[in-house]
Amino acid sequence: MPSEAPPFGSPPASVRADAARPAEETAHAARIRGARGRRRGSGQRLPRAERLAPYVLVAPAVLIIAGLRLYPLALGVNFSFTGDGDRNGQAVGWDNYATLFADPLFVESMRNVGLLVLLLPVAVAIPGILATFVYLRVPGHRVYRSVYFFPAVLSPVIIGAIFNLLLAFDGPANALLGAAGLGPVDWLGDPGVAIYAVVAVHIWATFGMALVVFLAGFATLDTSLIDAARVDGASLPLVIRHVIVPGLSRTIQFVVVTTMIGMLTSMFGLLYVMTGGGPEGSTYLPEYYIWFQQGQMSRPALASAASTVLFGVMLAVGLLQLAILRRSGRED
Amino acid sequence: MKRRALWSTALIAPLALYGCGSAAEPGSSGGGGEGALVVWDWKSGDATAESYIEAAKADFAERHPDVEVEFVAQPFDQYYNLLGTAIQSGEGPDVMLFNGGGQLRDRADALLPLEDLLAEDMDRLAGWEAFSADGHVYAAPVTLQGHPVYYNKALYEQAGLDPEAPPATWDAFLDNCDAIAEATGADCFAMGNKEGYGIQFFLSGLGSGTLTPQEYDDWIAGDRDWNAPGVKRIFELWVETEQAGLNNDGVNSTAMFNDEFALFDAGEAAHVIGLMSDVGHWKEFGEFIGAENVGVMPAPVASPGAAPSLPYDGGIGYGVAEWTDDPELAADLVRSLTSTAALEAFYADAGAIAADTTIDASGAGPAAAAIVAQIPTGKPALHVALSAETLELMGRLSQQLLSGSVTVDDALAQLAESDQAG
């Protein structure tokens, strides 16, 4: 086996197989490089220590990934094919997965994942627009810059508790509506409203971080382009549409990816404090469902199955986003 | 290519062996080992439970001076998650605290049957049913937990009603609510169903007023007819009270702990179905509206043939893990934790109705005395007999019943199905 290894100093396989290039060209390049490598490898044999060095050097990382990530992952998947309660430890095949997809709560949680994906543009547009205003120096932009970031330093539990009070049926939000002559809304008690209320609070709580990323992106914008557009008489919407958005495309993509991950993986605290999955199970998300089945229903194997499904969804979403990033990287 | 195949095989091999694993390794053991016992609970960190723990420790130290006992107080909201992990790994505390009912029965596999070891305490303590499963006793009761209907005597007085003569029938109850709403503006019920607990308390608190004694006993015995007239009536009442505007606003977004109880504490609602021990109970209400104003009434009779009784069960109790090294020693610690001296301290300091029937409760005010007086004729609470799955479904359906997105018949059909499956 070691004789087949690339000689020390040649680029790692991932770099050699440059996926950004068209397949044919890549294969061709790899053939050339491979031939070159072989020629060099057969010509001058490296000392044994030097040949083993790359393996020794990557060993810690590989062992940590294999031992602390892949092995537990395999155990978890394995566990999802065993039973709960009386059938603890017995192989039950796909039973847990059948139970999952027959459970209206789990189906609701997956539907809510879809809803989050649909709401993603809103979650990205809000910090984007606000960052634009800060960048264009609207009056008071210095104050806004710090005020917008403020919620990002609060824990979800505190934010949830605050909004529990604000959105209570007899709370200030409904008092405002009442003063405006509108009827009260049961923000956290109406199944058609509650998920939007929680997502809105999540966006409020986290958009500060995205705003900072946007501001960093603005710092790289070429101001002369904006000045030129203005001189040519472009209105603000036109400047945003044709100068700012194209200039920030990489930043926007980055914010899309991080916001998506944030929405799918870190809303547990808010859900736990604000709705507990209710009303009528309308605010369940997969991670809340997993916690609920494991801890409250003592069905850890079913929870493992739900975790495996969530892992699959995250993997698909991640790969999709990676593909999009790669494609846009090629455009640059 | 060859190497990649090897890697893939290495990664996929564990998956191919699916179904061969089990979370709980047989034969492994945990706990404190020789001469030491570990207790898990969520109480020992409370200031109000300090004297109770001290009394129990002293009692145990007298009999086993050389055994060390360590109390580990876990946060309650994570307690069963942590316990579940301990049970999965087969390692954990020797003695652990449980809520009676489903939480204990779901985990009975991990516990030792105690009926032989605790035989002497059987008569002195009450509430064993909640800690029993399949004919075995798995924990000894510390407190009793139940669901009395509390009422605010001051509001009754303001409405010109006799606070010492609570309504005996549902119609009289509704008349009183109208009178109180007119005179004081207070709601009839303080109700919080955000977590789906409201329906559990409603079912148990008022169920003995709609189910006939036969229906009630069958329900507890596990022979549950969800279409029995008395059962259907209680769910109809759940919908009717909401539609008639008897509840506070926003029931589905009001948390029972503690927004619902806060409404009663503030005198904004005339009735609340509360607890007997720990929180949301006579002692807490008395601190806000005055102990003399806390009334306890039997469930109003809403169906002919019903015979109201106090719904109660063992509230919390200590069980022994099946992996403990010395079951008799651990059972002795459970006996100390349920000794009369310890429970007396718990009752006095924490405001719990203790499971020990020999304790004198007359000094704790009229509400506690009224509850204790009803214990001999009381019956297990209806919702405690249900599985955790059915309770969760009932919570969700109860929210749908209030918003009108499901009918009573539909809800009962789903509940019957879940109950039979479980």
Side-chain angles (χ1 to χ4, degrees), chain A residues 37-301:
Chain A
R38 262 198 302 281
R39 203 162 49 235
R40 227 176 81 196
S42 57
Q44 47 182 111
R45 284 200 68 84
L46 292 162
R48 187 185 176 80
E50 219 167 301
R51 266 186 293 129
L52 287 178
Y55 298 101
V56 175
L57 289 173
V58 297
V62 169
L63 286 179
I64 286 172
I65 290 175
L68 298 180
R69 292 254 165 173
L70 298 178
Y71 179 64
L73 182 70
L75 277 187
V77 175
N78 180 25
F79 188 49
S80 73
F81 290 102
T82 66
D84 283 313
D86 296 342
R87 301 202 291 169
N88 184 19
Q90 295 170 24
V92 298
W94 293 89
D95 277 14
N96 285 327
Y97 292 88
T99 310
L100 267 190
F101 287 99
D103 185 348
L105 270 186
F106 186 73
V107 174
E108 180 73 43
S109 75
M110 293 314 277
R111 202 177 299 145
N112 281 336
V113 168
L115 182 72
L116 289 184
V117 175
L118 291 181
L119 290 174
L120 187 60
V122 181
V124 175
I126 289 175
I129 291 169
L130 293 175
T132 309
F133 288 148
V134 171
Y135 175 70
L136 295 175
R137 292 163 204 273
V138 295
H141 65 274
R142 276 173 218 278
V143 179
Y144 287 124
R145 198 167 47 190
S146 42
V147 167
Y148 287 153
F149 189 71
F150 182 61
V153 302
L154 294 175
S155 95
V157 174
I158 293 168
I159 291 167
I162 292 170
F163 276 91
N164 263 348
L165 294 174
L166 289 178
L167 298 177
F169 196 90
D170 51 0
N174 277 339
L176 267 181
L177 284 183
L182 299 168
V185 175
D186 199 356
W187 297 103
L188 301 176
D190 184 332
V193 177
I195 184 74
Y196 295 100
V198 178
V199 173
V201 172
H202 177 77
I203 292 174
W204 176 85
T206 55
F207 82 88
M209 207 55 92
L211 185 106
V212 171
V213 175
F214 270 118
L215 287 176
F218 275 118
T220 66
L221 263 191
D222 190 350
T223 48
S224 62
L225 281 179
I226 296 176
D227 291 339
R230 279 199 178 136
V231 169
D232 288 344
S235 63
L236 178 64
L238 282 177
V239 170
I240 292 177
R241 169 74 189 81
H242 292 288
V243 181
I244 293 182
V245 169
L248 285 181
S249 64
R250 296 303 296 266
T251 311
I252 293 172
Q253 281 154 14
F254 179 77
V255 173
V256 165
V257 172
T258 51
T259 307
M260 189 71 233
I261 292 171
M263 292 227 280
L264 284 178
T265 60
S266 54
M267 274 179 65
F268 179 86
L270 275 186
L271 287 178
Y272 182 81
V273 176
M274 289 180 69
T275 66
E280 307 177 20
S282 63
T283 57
Y284 264 84
L285 283 178
E287 48 169 353
Y288 193 85
Y289 182 87
I290 292 162
W291 172 83
F292 178 74
Q293 291 295 350
Q294 198 271 327
Q296 309 299 298
M297 296 284 133
S298 45
R299 300 179 71 176

Side-chain angles (χ1 to χ4, degrees), chain A residues 1 70 77-79 81-82 89 91 105 164 169 186 188-189 272 274 279-281 291-292 295-297 299-300, chain B residues 3 11 14-15 17-19 21-23 77 81 88 106-107 194 249-250 252-253 388-389 392 396 399-400 403 405:
Chain A
M1 279 297 274
L70 298 178
V77 175
N78 180 25
F79 188 49
F81 290 102
T82 66
L105 270 186
N164 263 348
F169 196 90
D186 199 356
L188 301 176
Y272 182 81
M274 289 180 69
E280 307 177 20
W291 172 83
F292 178 74
Q296 309 299 298
M297 296 284 133
R299 300 179 71 176
Chain B
R3 191 172 323 112
L11 289 179
L15 302 185
L17 296 172
Y18 81 79
S22 150
D77 54 354
N81 283 31
Q88 285 297 332
D106 287 352
R107 296 169 177 84
K194 182 173 182 172
D249 290 328
N252 280 348
S253 57
E389 267 100 19
E392 189 276 326
R396 225 171 340 128
Q399 294 173 335
Q400 291 179 327
S403 69
S405 55

